[in-house]
Amino acid sequence: MTPEVFEYMVNQSPEVTARLKQIYETIYEVAPDVTERISYKMPCFYQDHHYLCGFAAYKKHIGFYPGGILGNGFDDAVMIAFGEHLAPYKTSKGTIQFGHHQSFDIDLIRDIIKWRLTH
């Protein structure tokens, strides 16, 4: 973990840090060769120099960005491929929002990352 990503994660509340750590570990479980850096003020992950995903902590949710950074070039195919599984979460162009008050499905995140690696 780069010092910048570590600092980003630990500067959240303990509960949010724990959730970010779950997402972080899942990314590396599925794509162990990713590189990471802070981009657009959030942790972003790249496979072979191509954007894979990112996440960001907000006051009421964690945003997971499984396509172009902050909706830039977001592939609607992610929404089509996982639409029914995303129903419990708020989504918008380029992001899936996991509210702090709700549980989130780490297997869904794992499946999205696997999908992104092959499409």
Side-chain angles (χ1 to χ4, degrees):
M1 182 179 302
T2 65
E4 296 82 12
V5 170
F6 176 80
E7 182 179 338
Y8 181 93
M9 290 172 55
V10 299
N11 280 328
Q12 312 302 324
S13 71
E15 297 82 13
V16 173
T17 296
R19 293 175 73 140
L20 294 176
K21 185 178 177 190
Q22 277 187 289
I23 297 170
Y24 180 90
E25 290 173 350
T26 300
I27 293 167
Y28 274 92
E29 171 191 320
V30 176
D33 296 326
V34 296
T35 57
E36 64 184 57
R37 67 177 180 253
I38 297 292
S39 189
Y40 294 89
K41 299 182 182 180
M42 66 181 198
C44 293
F45 302 85
Y46 298 82
Q47 182 74 30
D48 299 323
H49 304 288
H50 298 285
Y51 179 81
L52 178 64
C53 64
F55 58 74
Y58 298 97
K59 185 176 180 178
K60 296 184 180 184
H61 70 276
I62 292 173
F64 180 66
Y65 302 90
I69 298 171
L70 299 178
N72 185 11
F74 181 71
D75 187 350
D76 286 333
V78 171
M79 301 306 267
I80 294 167
F82 294 93
E84 68 183 55
H85 302 287
L86 298 175
Y89 310 106
K90 183 176 180 183
T91 60
S92 63
K93 189 85 171 157
T95 185
I96 303 163
Q97 295 181 9
F98 301 109
H100 294 316
H101 66 282
Q102 69 185 140
S103 62
F104 66 95
D105 183 353
I106 202 69
D107 290 331
L108 173 61
I109 294 171
R110 182 179 293 109
D111 290 344
I112 290 171
I113 295 166
K114 286 178 184 177
W115 189 90
R116 288 275 297 131
L117 287 170
T118 60
H119 290 83

